[in-house]
């Protein structure tokens, strides 16, 4: 009989060991690729000062934050809360340690963040984000934007997902475009309409734009703009058609897009397209923005995204730290990939061998054999429980690929046979 | 100018990237050994229900717990707090998922826990614990105690520390010994005196025992007991000298100690001794208890410890889950090893190569070379910043072992030279 409710709190991911092994492998894959790209790992505390976390807050952040307090009084009585992303702690870290860091600072954080969102299926309150950022001091060349995109894409490639598409835009193109249309004062509202255009009929977007007080020509130009996508040459031509003599307004943004596009092509980074529907919300991005999606599963939405921010730590310091970063929201992604059956949970068992000594007389031999296999990098469990062999085999089948029974014969012969727990086949070791 | 205090909260570990790389390597070493021993990784949420965390609390736990609350109202209004160890969440996990687990359940948790202790040097409020536990259903043979000890010891061996000593005792021996002396009603007080005996002169321990109302003979026997250590045969002989005809009172505990000792010897696990001074506080341990120390640095205290608990989840369920576990407190250990200069922070840089293309004309060659090296498992950074080559070398020296300059010659010849950033030596790739 249970005495207390032992389910995890709602909104928390809690996996069985075999599921956890798959999750861990995906996390390790991401970490390996980031590491191969030269990103340095850091870990910031999960608990931060509230004034740091909320320095730039607004909107939902403040409502969703988890406040922390101790039951007893303590000397350190600062208001504390759980971090809700990696970017704010990174900004604090860069300011605090800037004299000890080598800029451009290529940094990764793969860890859990916390948001007290309203509970709903597929939304998590505690979730892994796998961030890769490059932070400069004073300036950071646009080439780094391409590097972050290529790295995130290569990390996702290890998942063996169906056709991925990277969609890239640049906030400066949008800003220049709206300036050319003399609509700069409506940037926030128009960005919001473009940001949601993918989920509604085009007539709805057009009506929303008209409702803002735009004339029909402006509405037509913006709807043409937001459906523009393709290679750099294609989108440049399309923009030129729309803007005509006012094309110079988007020159800076286009030059950045061209550089990112050229580098991704030189690097041979797979399937990417320039797509002006990509906005990335009303976030702090100032230049390049990107999202990644599965072409055949558009309804999943973006599985990794990021962009360029001109000033990472403006709330904490007068020093200037431009940066570019991207993130894979692994907890949500793992959940979605399981829903869509896009991930193979039954691939391999977490343990390679379970060794089954029949009596205590075979323990020494079992230990020796296990240590030998461990030295080869294998995961080896030894079942020392006093149960029937059939029960032991039953347990082994749940966690391991092979079982090795050790009786008196094996002790004498020092020859061992591994039984494949799926197929029943045996192999000599 | 700083606008806010950007230091991490006191009691939180925050490392520079090169330090973090060493910390990460130690954590990976522990994880690898646990995995090789067949332990399955799980991750429980950092936030738990307060009633779960405090079901068995008492003493300092309640005072040190971090309570969590959301600023806005939400449907899920259960009292929430941050976990202070891995054991309570493990108990909840085992009860919740027991139908899906294969028992004996060998499980590891390597993650952060939280305690709002009073701030002091070397004490952390957010800290990694690396736990390995084996949980049975209804029963669990004593042989598993030896397995946990051997595994923790092998994990620590990867640190290349000076002489380690595992000290093993058994609570049943102590209980039997006190029963033989008709002192069972003073078990808690006497345990506490033995637990602290290492840090005070023997006269102080004796005086404290007398102050409990013990007679001189009882005091002498207990001080003899607590200074008893050695091989199994030695401690058995010593106990027999002290207890004489009442020796049967410690028979059960001794039998368990003998089994653990025999297995560790059969397994060839290094330097261990039986030592009755080991108590492990007033924790929930019921049989085997162990600590690990560095023989030449006894003042550091235990660097890994654990023991047997007869009933993991008695606060949550009527089902019986006996277990045995051990833990390495990695954050504190890392701090102490640095203090004692027992860990080499300058071993290797986190990045293998920094590639330095001289102009954008060399980018494509740089990307190709980097991808080739990455495919070999190397960590490769490409410096795309528009700075002087000397500045780039300066940055590379802080994070990487080698630099590879790529100019027009290298593009044409496709031959590359790596320069060792420590020694200045060059090698052809």
């Amino acid at each position: 009989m249970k005495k207390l409710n032992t389910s995890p709190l709602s909104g928390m991911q809690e996996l069985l060991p075999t599921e956890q092994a798959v999750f861990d492998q995906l996390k390790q894959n991401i970490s390996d690729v980031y590491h191969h790209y030269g990103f340095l790992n850091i870990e910031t505390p999960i608990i931060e000062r509230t004034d740091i976390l909320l320095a730039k807050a607004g909107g939902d952040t403040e409502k969703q934050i988890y406040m922390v307090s101790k039951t007893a009084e303590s000397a350190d009585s600062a208001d504390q809360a759980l971090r809700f992303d990696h970017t704010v702690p990174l900004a604090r870290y860069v300011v605090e340690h800037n004299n000890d860091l080598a800029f451009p600072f290529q940094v990764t954080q793969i860890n859990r963040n916390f948001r007290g969102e309203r509970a709903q299926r597929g939304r998590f309150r505690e979730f892994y984000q796998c961030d890769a950022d490059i932070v400069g001091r004073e300036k950071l060349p646009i080439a780094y934007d391409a590097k972050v995109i290529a790295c995130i894409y290569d990390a996702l490639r290890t998942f063996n997902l169906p056709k991925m598409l990277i969609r890239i835009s640049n906030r400066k193109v949008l800003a220049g475009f709206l300036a050319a249309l003399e609509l700069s004062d409506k940037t926030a509202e128009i960005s919001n309409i473009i940001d949601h255009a993918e989920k509604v009929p085009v007539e709805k977007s057009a009506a929303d734009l008209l409702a803002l007080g735009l004339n029909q020509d402006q509405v037509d130009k913006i709807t043409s703009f937001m459906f523009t996508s393709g290679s750099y040459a294609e989108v440049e031509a399309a923009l030129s058609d729309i803007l005509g003599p006012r094309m110079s307004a988007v020159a800076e943004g286009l030059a950045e897009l061209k550089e990112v596009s050229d580098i991704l092509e030189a690097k041979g980074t797979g399937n990417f397209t320039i797509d002006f529907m990509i906005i990335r919300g009303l976030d702090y991005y100032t230049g390049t923005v990107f999202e990644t999606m599965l072409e055949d599963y558009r309804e999943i939405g973006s599985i990794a995204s990021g962009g360029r921010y001109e000033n990472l730590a403006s709330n904490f310091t007068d020093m200037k730290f431009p940066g570019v970063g991207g993130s894979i929201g692994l907890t949500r992604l793992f959940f979605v990939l399981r829903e869509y059956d896009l991930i193979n949970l039954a691939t391999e068992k977490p343990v390679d061998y379970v060794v089954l000594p029949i009596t205590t007389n075979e323990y020494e031999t079992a230990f020796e054999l296990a240590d030998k296999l461990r030295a080869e990098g294998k995961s080896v469990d030894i079942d020392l429980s006093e149960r029937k062999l059939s029960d032991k085999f039953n347990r082994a089948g749940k966690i391991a690929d092979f079982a090795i029974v050790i009786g008196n014969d094996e002790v004498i012969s020092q020859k061992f046979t591994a039984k494949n727990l799926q197929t029943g086949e045996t192999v000599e070791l």
Side-chain angles (χ1 to χ4, degrees), chain A:
Chain A
M1 204 196 77
K2 276 198 202 179
K3 300 173 181 175
L4 285 172
N5 178 2
T6 56
S7 66
L9 282 164
S10 84
M12 309 291 170
Q13 172 181 264
E14 182 162 276
L15 303 172
L16 291 173
T18 44
E19 300 166 339
Q20 184 75 48
V22 177
F23 184 88
D24 289 346
Q25 185 60 58
L26 297 178
K27 181 150 64 78
Q28 187 64 49
N29 288 353
I30 296 172
S31 172
D32 285 347
V33 171
Y34 288 1
H35 177 65
H36 289 158
Y37 268 81
F39 287 82
L40 310 178
N41 187 48
I42 65 166
E43 283 193 341
T44 61
I46 282 171
I47 307 178
E48 292 273 4
R49 288 191 183 81
T50 311
D51 62 351
I52 288 282
L53 292 180
L54 295 181
K56 191 215 80 120
D60 288 339
T61 308
E62 201 152 349
K63 278 182 246 152
Q64 294 178 348
I65 206 167
Y66 277 106
M67 304 297 292
V68 159
S69 62
K70 276 178 282 174
T71 48
E73 277 311 307
S74 82
D76 186 354
S77 58
D79 274 346
Q80 302 177 9
L82 303 186
R83 65 174 184 220
F84 53 84
D85 72 4
H86 289 314
T87 308
V88 176
L90 174 61
R92 183 189 59 66
Y93 184 97
V94 166
V95 174
E96 179 69 14
H97 304 291
N98 79 87
N99 288 325
D100 296 309
L101 302 176
F103 292 93
F105 177 38
Q106 289 205 174
V107 57
T108 169
Q109 296 175 86
I110 298 180
N111 233 300
R112 284 191 266 199
N113 291 317
F114 301 83
R115 289 186 199 179
E117 297 197 75
R118 210 154 47 79
Q120 51 181 306
R121 196 175 151 68
R123 283 278 184 180
F124 293 92
R125 292 173 169 174
E126 181 182 305
F127 49 93
Y128 270 91
Q129 284 184 305
C130 308
D131 283 28
D133 287 87
I134 306 174
V135 181
R137 185 137 76 178
E138 296 302 331
K139 57 183 185 174
L140 185 74
I142 297 302
Y144 283 106
D145 299 20
K147 190 173 184 177
V148 162
I149 294 172
C151 174
I152 300 256
Y153 185 77
D154 275 353
L156 285 171
R157 283 207 306 176
T158 65
F159 285 45
N160 293 317
L161 298 173
K163 270 189 293 182
M164 291 193 296
L165 176 66
I166 315 172
R167 303 161 78 192
I168 303 170
S169 185
N170 190 300
R171 286 285 185 91
K172 290 176 184 169
V173 174
L174 174 68
F177 188 85
L178 295 181
L181 268 55
E182 291 173 359
L183 287 170
S184 295
D185 58 328
K186 294 197 166 69
T187 300
E189 297 89 334
I190 296 170
S191 298
N192 194 33
I193 291 169
I194 300 176
D195 198 27
H196 291 89
E198 196 138 24
K199 292 169 190 150
V200 299
V202 60
E203 294 77 15
K204 163 87 172 111
S205 302
D208 288 347
L209 289 167
L210 276 171
L212 286 179
L214 277 56
N215 64 41
Q216 190 60 48
D217 180 58
Q218 289 170 321
V219 171
D220 290 345
K221 283 190 162 55
I222 291 174
T223 48
S224 296
F225 173 81
M226 73 192 191
F227 285 102
T228 298
S229 69
S231 68
Y232 174 78
E234 286 164 353
V235 302
E236 189 195 43
L239 273 188
S240 179
D241 281 353
I242 304 172
L243 289 177
R246 285 168 293 175
M247 186 66 174
S248 63
V250 293
E252 187 187 347
L254 279 185
E256 292 188 5
L257 267 182
K258 182 172 190 316
E259 184 167 354
V260 170
S261 172
D262 284 351
I263 291 180
L264 290 178
E265 256 170 36
K267 199 173 170 337
T269 290
N271 205 9
F272 75 92
T273 185
I274 294 168
D275 187 332
F276 293 137
M277 200 171 283
I278 299 304
I279 300 281
R280 297 300 311 141
L282 295 174
D283 239 325
Y284 42 77
Y285 297 117
T286 53
T288 301
V289 283
F290 70 94
E291 291 189 355
T292 313
M293 62 173 211
L294 304 180
E295 286 199 75
D296 300 333
Y297 301 85
R298 287 185 163 241
E299 67 275 24
I300 289 177
S302 177
I303 61 171
S305 60
R308 153 80 59 155
Y309 37 89
E310 263 320 294
N311 205 349
L312 174 67
S314 57
N315 295 298
F316 304 157
T317 179
D318 291 331
M319 288 183 283
K320 197 177 168 205
F321 297 105
V324 57
S327 183
I328 302 173
L330 186 58
T331 303
R332 176 178 173 269
L333 179 56
F334 185 72
F335 176 87
V336 171
L337 295 180
R338 285 176 71 180
E339 290 274 295
Y340 280 81
D341 210 10
L342 290 175
I343 213 151
N344 192 351
L345 279 175
T347 41
E348 262 182 62
K349 293 284 194 279
V351 172
D352 296 311
Y353 298 96
V354 174
V355 178
L356 305 170
I358 292 177
T359 73
T360 54
N361 294 331
E362 290 87 33
Y363 276 11
E364 197 163 340
T365 301
F367 297 143
E368 272 172 25
L369 175 64
D371 280 341
K372 254 182 227 159
L373 292 167
R374 285 169 189 153
E376 294 168 15
K378 302 297 186 189
S379 167
V380 188
D381 175 290
I382 309 178
D383 193 328
L384 305 171
S385 67
E386 290 144 356
R387 299 186 300 177
K388 283 186 297 180
L389 198 58
S390 62
D391 287 342
K392 294 185 181 186
F393 263 106
N394 190 18
R395 170 181 177 271
K398 288 182 187 168
I399 59 170
D401 296 323
F402 294 92
I404 305 171
V405 175
I406 303 189
N408 193 38
D409 289 355
E410 283 78 11
V411 171
I412 292 165
S413 69
Q414 291 288 313
K415 286 192 178 145
F416 308 100
T417 306
K419 180 171 180 177
N420 185 315
L421 291 159
Q422 294 257 288
T423 65
E425 281 172 286
T426 57
V427 280
E428 300 279 313
L429 283 190

